[in-house]
Amino acid sequence: MKKFSIPQMAVSLPLAVLAAAILIFINELSFYQSTDAVASIEEAQKTRGSINKLLQQVLDAETGQRGYLLTGDPRYLEPYNTATADINQNLDVLRLLFAPYKDQLTEFGLLSRHVSRKLAEMDLSVRMRREDNDDAWKFVLTTDVGKEQMDAIRERSATLAASSIRKMEQGQAQIQRTLLLSRIGIAIMAMAGLLAFYMYLLQTKAVLDSGMREQAMLQRERDLLETQVRERTASLAELATHLQNVREDERGHLARELHDELGALLTAAKLDVARLKSRLAGNLPEAAERLQHLTNTLNSGIALKRRIVEDLRPSSLSHLGLVASLEILAREFEDRSGLFVTTDLEHVELDGSSQLTVYRMVQESLTNMAKYADAKQADVSLHNFDGYVTAEVKDDGKGFKLDSLGPASHGLAGMRHRVEAAGGRLTVVSAEGHGTRISAVLPKSS
């Protein structure tokens, strides 16, 4: 045995050195891989937390904004201003986190643009509220622009959060591979490796449980905020409908006052002038001529009063019905504007409020047509179907781009709200050089 000791030692020593080298290599490799994986997981967790925090800050800013718009109380601007400042800081943090990753940085750029647009939309409505421009901020609030930007923010946040989760999963998989390699290659450190792996699992489970609890809490808060936003939006819609009804009541009251009081005064004045004219006839030709001019002026005033009263509250609607009222409206518009108007009107079953809604829609459409369409012909139609009624106004004018409508397009917004308040749906179809078609679908009276 002794004669083989030296060769055995000569072999065993290089093997021992090789085993030691392999042990050190595996240990160092495992260390660096585990360190990189843990850093990647921590970065992914920080990224996901920052994304969730950003989404919550946007919701806080929206809540503060809507609270200020609804109440006008400047105290609501404090959480709004705080949230907007925190959003910019959080965006800077996320930009640094995504800087090494080109794909995620591109996705973050889209998220940042949507957040900037959302902040601009909220800032615009807040400034309009400060300037007491009620029509402007109410219009901004009733559009779908804020909702579209919020949906886009949620979608981009979910995409970035999913990439962070994948990064965490990749880090976890890397650690598992490293631990498995350590178990196979390092028998001496097997127990320590198993213990470390077990402790890591406990820590990961605790982190995941904490994240799930935080996510559940954030979800509950988000659901509560969305419920509040929906309730407040519904309250605004009810308020707008109430104001619209009040406006119609005031117009009806003013129409009655003009008809009863001013109409009586003009008629009495006309009778007095007629008496004077009959007494002075043949005696004072110049006075008779002036009295005739005065009579013509009073007739013009009576006609103007009648037209104003009809515009305020069409009496034909209650006395003659919707079809006759629309026919009269079309003929008068044709006389005033010089446009050729065709009508295709059927008798429909609508209550008084819905009839007024249709009348106002047609009236506003014709008014807008005269102002902006540069049309030569218009078509007004009213048709009866099973369960619903359609009203439509078309022209052959220059049309417009639907996406070019700005905050000043109150006419279309008012028509849309009026039709939707009656349980219907308004559709606007237009293109440059191809005219405009405005149609409403309303349910029949039950």
Side-chain angles (χ1 to χ4, degrees), residues 44-56 59 153-154 157-162 164-165 168 206-226:
Q45 289 175 341
K46 183 178 179 181
T47 301
R48 189 177 67 173
S50 297
I51 291 173
N52 292 333
K53 186 177 180 182
L54 175 64
L55 189 58
Q56 182 62 43
L59 290 172
I153 292 172
R154 291 193 180 96
S157 299
T159 302
L160 292 174
S164 299
I165 292 174
M168 290 178 61
V207 171
L208 291 176
D209 291 343
S210 176
M212 291 177 64
R213 288 193 297 270
E214 181 181 358
Q215 187 67 26
M217 181 180 66
L218 290 175
Q219 185 62 43
R220 288 194 298 271
E221 293 179 356
R222 190 180 299 114
D223 293 341
L224 177 60
L225 289 174
E226 289 180 351

Side-chain angles (χ1 to χ4, degrees), residues 57-74:
Q57 288 166 350
V58 174
L59 290 172
D60 292 340
E62 188 178 48
T63 302
Q65 173 232 9
R66 289 182 178 273
Y68 175 69
L69 293 180
L70 290 172
T71 63
D73 191 344

